[in-house]
Amino acid sequence: MAETRPHITVGHHDQYGVVAATSHDNHVAEHILRLVGFERLPGSTLYGLTDPQRDPVRRGAQAVQSLRAAQYRVKADVAYDLQPHTRLGTGRGLLERLEKPSVSTVTPSAEQRRSQAATAISPARAGTPPARPAAAVAYRPAPAAPQPVRSR
């Protein structure tokens, strides 16, 4: 059975930081990318993560998780992929790993730290107070239009 192409690919770009590209011409996928924090780069088919200096690895990983939760097939760089079974390796090591049974070299404490980091609030946002809903505005009808003065 042929492997299907991912809907969205997320990776690192030297100039733009975390970028995403759609492999299908799908306006809904483009809308979803905007919802998870990407914006179209001018003159390109790529989407860059907004505010790329603010915790890009965590935000990129959260975007990948959100896209997968929305049922999109996502291929991501290792830095942004929190699901190790979906990662694709490169080079000779991949073939060797497929032939030999794999033994995880990640300790349980490292796995726990990784999962906590993925779900933690960013230090940049930790100091900001939670957004409060705007106060209700009382309804006041518009004043009646002035009546023209009639001459007698």
Side-chain angles (χ1 to χ4, degrees):
M1 183 173 181
E3 187 176 321
T4 58
R5 292 183 346 193
H7 292 112
I8 299 169
T9 303
V10 178
H12 179 78
H13 189 278
D14 291 335
Q15 182 179 359
Y16 300 114
V18 182
V19 295
T22 59
S23 59
H24 300 85
D25 187 23
N26 185 344
H27 68 281
V28 177
E30 294 174 10
H31 177 72
I32 294 294
L33 281 172
R34 284 196 271 318
L35 290 176
V36 297
F38 287 90
E39 61 186 11
R40 182 165 249 171
L41 297 172
S44 176
T45 59
L46 294 176
Y47 292 81
L49 193 60
T50 57
D51 197 8
Q53 292 78 26
R54 196 184 87 222
D55 205 2
V57 175
R58 183 188 63 81
R59 291 177 60 227
Q62 284 182 334
V64 169
Q65 284 183 315
S66 297
L67 291 167
R68 287 189 176 136
Q71 301 299 311
Y72 283 93
R73 287 187 306 275
V74 181
K75 180 179 176 186
D77 281 354
V78 174
Y80 314 117
D81 196 348
L82 298 177
Q83 297 178 354
H85 63 276
T86 61
R87 293 183 185 155
L88 299 176
T90 58
R92 288 189 331 215
L94 178 62
L95 182 58
E96 293 170 2
R97 281 182 267 148
L98 291 175
E99 292 173 351
K100 296 178 185 177
S102 65
V103 177
S104 176
T105 58
V106 179
T107 62
S109 62
E111 190 69 33
Q112 183 180 14
R113 285 191 311 268
R114 181 184 292 165
S115 66
Q116 287 173 347
T119 58
I121 296 174
S122 168
R125 296 189 70 116
T128 60
R132 293 187 175 187
V137 178
Y139 172 74
R140 294 183 196 157
Q147 297 295 323
V149 178
R150 296 184 191 172
S151 57
R152 293 184 189 190

